[in-house]
């Protein structure tokens, strides 16, 4: 079998028949939208003191990784457009190359994973979560999320890539390390999905147990109420017992209401799971499938599909801050307040009808008329 030239996403010398458009320049527009949405959420969390919680800090860090990814795309597009062809090829192959994109993408996916585990501990193990939910532990976790992809993915692969570059056969880097790239791509793409699925399935089981316990508790309370009804009638003269019988149902109703609210909050988390898995799969899996197929035979006919699915994959970074706002109550409430404040300022800035004040001359005339009328 004839092995074709490996596909390099940053190769600017690809033929026109193979490359339908410039990937970096085409990704500049969605990268701008990604930068705007994520930067807005980061600034909101930074400037609002109430939003500086451990959960929001993790979300803020994930948005920063998205901003870094968008800056990388915009910088690459500007260099390719403005610089010389030789410098643009060098910059795309050795500085902001596909390995750097893969590393930043892994950093973001690791953030999605740690957000899923944070949700899991806050719901399933609330007491342990309150004990370990500190800024120190959050900082350590975020440092690991940022450092591990660089150490595991970028540094080893970049060193190997430099060796191929010095030998003048950079394209052979992809064909000689196909199995390693398969493993890395599978880990980067499937780790968040696996974490989301496992953690939220456990949350579903926990919600089901809470509902079952609530049903059993309500049945038991009804049976106890029926069994103790004659005793309550006979002990009507006892004031303390009557007060206990009247206050006990209210206490039980409050407990049941608290459980219903807790179940409702857990249902919102389940809805978040479905949206995360759905949007994540629709956005990233087509690109993963195309890249896996390409790495098997290096078929240049798959290059247009790889370019198009790449643009779809990076669109998930645009939806990430929107989902974070929709399913984080504190951020959602602050956004509503900010929107109402902007509406009030806009309505206050409308031009009001001018009230013409009487001049001193008119005032003196009216004063003379009052005196003469007397």
């Amino acid at each position: 079998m004839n092995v074709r030239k490996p596909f390099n996403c940053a190769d600017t010398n690809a033929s026109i028949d193979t490359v339908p458009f410039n990937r970096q320049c085409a990704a500049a527009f969605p990268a701008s939208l990604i930068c705007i949405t994520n930067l807005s959420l980061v600034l909101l969390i930074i400037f609002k003191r109430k939003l500086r919680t451990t959960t929001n800090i993790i979300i803020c860090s994930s948005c920063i990784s998205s901003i870094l990814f968008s800056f990388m795309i915009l910088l690459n597009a500007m260099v390719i457009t403005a610089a010389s062809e030789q410098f643009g090829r060098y910059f795309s192959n050795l500085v902001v190359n596909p390995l750097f994109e893969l590393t930043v993408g892994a950093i973001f996916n690791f953030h999605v994973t740690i957000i899923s585990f944070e949700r899991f501990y806050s719901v399933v193990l609330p007491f342990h979560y309150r004990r370990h939910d500190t800024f120190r532990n959050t900082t350590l976790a975020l440092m690991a999320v940022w450092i591990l992809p660089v150490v595991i993915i970028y540094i080893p692969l970049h060193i190997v890539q430099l060796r191929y570059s010095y030998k003048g056969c950079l394209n052979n880097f992809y064909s000689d390390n196909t199995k390693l790239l398969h493993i890395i791509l599978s880990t980067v793409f499937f780790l968040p999905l696996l974490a989301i699925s496992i953690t939220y399935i456990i949350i579903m089981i926990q919600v089901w147990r809470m509902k079952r316990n609530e049903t059993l508790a309500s049945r038991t309370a009804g049976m106890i109420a029926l069994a103790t009804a004659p005793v309550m009638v006979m002990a009507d003269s006892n004031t303390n017992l009557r007060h206990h019988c009247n206050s006990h149902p209210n206490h039980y109703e409050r407990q049941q209401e608290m459980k219903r609210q807790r179940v409702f909050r857990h249902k919102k988390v389940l809805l978040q799971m479905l949206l995360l898995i759905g949007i994540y799969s629709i956005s990233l899996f087509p690109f993963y499938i195309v890249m896996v197929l390409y790495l098997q035979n290096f078929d240049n006919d798959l290059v247009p599909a790889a370019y198009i699915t790449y643009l779809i994959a990076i669109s998930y970074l645009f939806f990430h801050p929107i989902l974070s706002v929709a399913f984080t109550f504190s951020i959602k409430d602050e956004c509503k307040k900010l929107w109402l404040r902007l509406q009030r300022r806009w309505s206050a800035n409308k031009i009001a009808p001018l009230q013409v004040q009487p001049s001193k001359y008119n005032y003196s005339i009216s004063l003379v008329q009052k005196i003469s009328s007397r």
Side-chain angles (χ1 to χ4, degrees):
M1 182 180 65
N2 295 327
V3 179
R4 299 188 182 182
K5 179 183 177 181
F7 167 58
N8 185 356
C9 291
D11 190 5
T12 57
N13 289 332
S15 62
I16 299 177
D17 297 333
T18 302
V19 180
F21 50 84
N22 192 304
R23 180 181 65 92
Q24 289 82 5
C25 295
F29 177 72
S32 302
L33 298 178
I34 292 169
C35 184
I36 292 173
T37 55
N38 287 272
L39 185 60
S40 301
L41 184 55
V42 169
L43 294 177
L44 180 65
I45 295 175
I46 291 176
F47 287 105
K48 294 295 180 179
R49 189 181 298 271
K50 295 187 298 183
L51 298 180
R52 298 174 190 174
T53 60
T54 54
T55 301
N56 295 339
I57 288 174
I58 299 175
I59 295 175
C60 182
S61 180
S62 65
C63 293
I64 292 174
S65 65
S66 300
I67 294 172
L68 178 61
F69 191 90
S70 63
F71 278 172
M72 174 186 60
I73 294 175
L74 293 174
L75 180 62
N76 209 346
M78 288 187 294
V79 170
I80 291 176
T81 304
S84 61
E85 183 179 357
Q86 183 177 2
F87 180 78
R89 189 184 305 113
Y90 172 81
F91 188 84
S92 300
N93 289 335
L94 297 179
V95 181
V96 185
N97 51 16
L99 294 181
F100 191 76
E101 296 184 42
L102 180 62
T103 304
V104 180
I107 293 174
F108 175 80
N109 286 351
F110 285 3
H111 276 92
V112 176
T113 304
I114 197 174
I115 289 173
S116 302
F117 281 110
E118 190 268 342
R119 300 279 185 182
F120 166 77
Y121 278 109
S122 64
V123 173
V124 179
L125 302 172
F127 297 104
H128 292 279
Y129 174 77
R130 293 176 184 176
R131 187 185 308 168
H132 299 287
D133 183 28
T134 61
F135 287 98
R136 176 180 175 274
N137 294 336
T138 304
T139 304
L140 293 176
L142 291 178
M143 288 177 61
V145 167
W146 280 90
I147 294 175
L148 282 178
V150 177
V151 175
I152 297 175
I153 299 176
Y154 183 75
I155 294 178
L157 292 180
H158 190 65
I159 292 174
V160 176
Q161 190 182 42
L162 287 176
R163 294 179 180 176
Y164 281 90
S165 178
Y166 291 149
K167 295 178 181 179
C169 52
L170 182 60
N171 290 326
N172 293 335
F173 166 76
Y174 296 95
S175 59
D176 294 344
N177 299 278
T178 302
K179 294 182 179 179
L180 181 60
L181 292 175
H182 271 294
I183 295 173
I184 293 176
L185 284 175
S186 302
T187 303
V188 170
F189 280 93
F190 282 102
L191 181 61
L193 185 63
L194 186 63
I196 293 172
S197 302
I198 293 176
T199 54
Y200 284 97
I201 286 174
I202 296 176
I203 293 176
M204 290 177 64
I205 296 173
Q206 185 74 10
V207 172
W208 178 77
R209 287 179 179 176
M210 291 177 61
K211 288 184 177 180
R212 186 184 63 177
N213 294 336
E214 181 181 356
T215 304
L216 292 176
S218 60
R219 291 178 181 176
T220 305
M223 295 174 63
I224 293 175
L226 292 174
T228 57
V231 178
M232 292 181 183
V233 174
M234 295 176 61
D236 189 34
S237 60
N238 191 341
T239 306
N240 294 329
L241 182 60
R242 184 170 62 251
H243 180 266
H244 172 73
C245 294
N246 291 332
S247 61
H248 180 70
N250 296 331
H251 178 68
Y252 174 74
E253 290 178 359
R254 286 196 297 269
Q255 289 183 342
Q256 294 299 104
E257 183 64 25
M258 292 175 62
K259 288 184 178 180
R260 292 191 191 96
Q261 293 178 359
R262 196 180 301 116
V263 171
F264 177 73
R265 290 196 298 268
H266 295 172
K267 286 182 178 179
K268 291 179 64 177
V269 176
L270 297 180
L271 179 61
Q272 182 182 11
M273 175 199 70
L274 296 177
L275 286 176
L276 283 174
I277 292 178
I279 297 176
Y280 184 90
S281 302
I282 294 173
S283 301
L284 276 75
F285 272 13
F287 178 70
Y288 170 78
I289 294 172
V290 171
M291 290 305 300
V292 169
L293 293 176
Y294 178 81
L295 289 175
Q296 291 180 353
N297 298 321
F298 297 105
D299 187 2
N300 289 332
D301 294 335
L302 294 174
V303 174
Y307 275 42
I308 295 173
T309 53
Y310 171 81
L311 297 177
I312 298 174
I314 65 175
S315 65
Y316 180 77
L317 303 178
F318 171 79
F319 292 104
H320 172 69
I322 299 175
L323 293 174
S324 300
V325 171
F327 290 97
T328 306
F329 176 77
S330 59
I331 303 178
K332 184 179 180 180
D333 184 62
E334 196 64 35
C335 289
K336 288 182 178 179
K337 291 180 181 179
L338 183 61
W339 175 252
L340 293 176
R341 195 177 305 143
L342 292 175
Q343 283 185 335
R344 290 172 185 172
R345 288 186 179 181
W346 181 78
S347 60
N349 290 332
K350 288 183 178 179
I351 301 176
L354 296 176
Q355 296 180 357
V356 180
Q357 299 294 336
S359 61
K360 294 181 179 180
Y361 179 77
N362 294 332
Y363 179 76
S364 61
I365 292 176
S366 62
L367 183 61
V368 170
Q369 291 177 354
K370 288 183 181 179
I371 295 173
S372 61
S373 63
R374 292 179 183 177

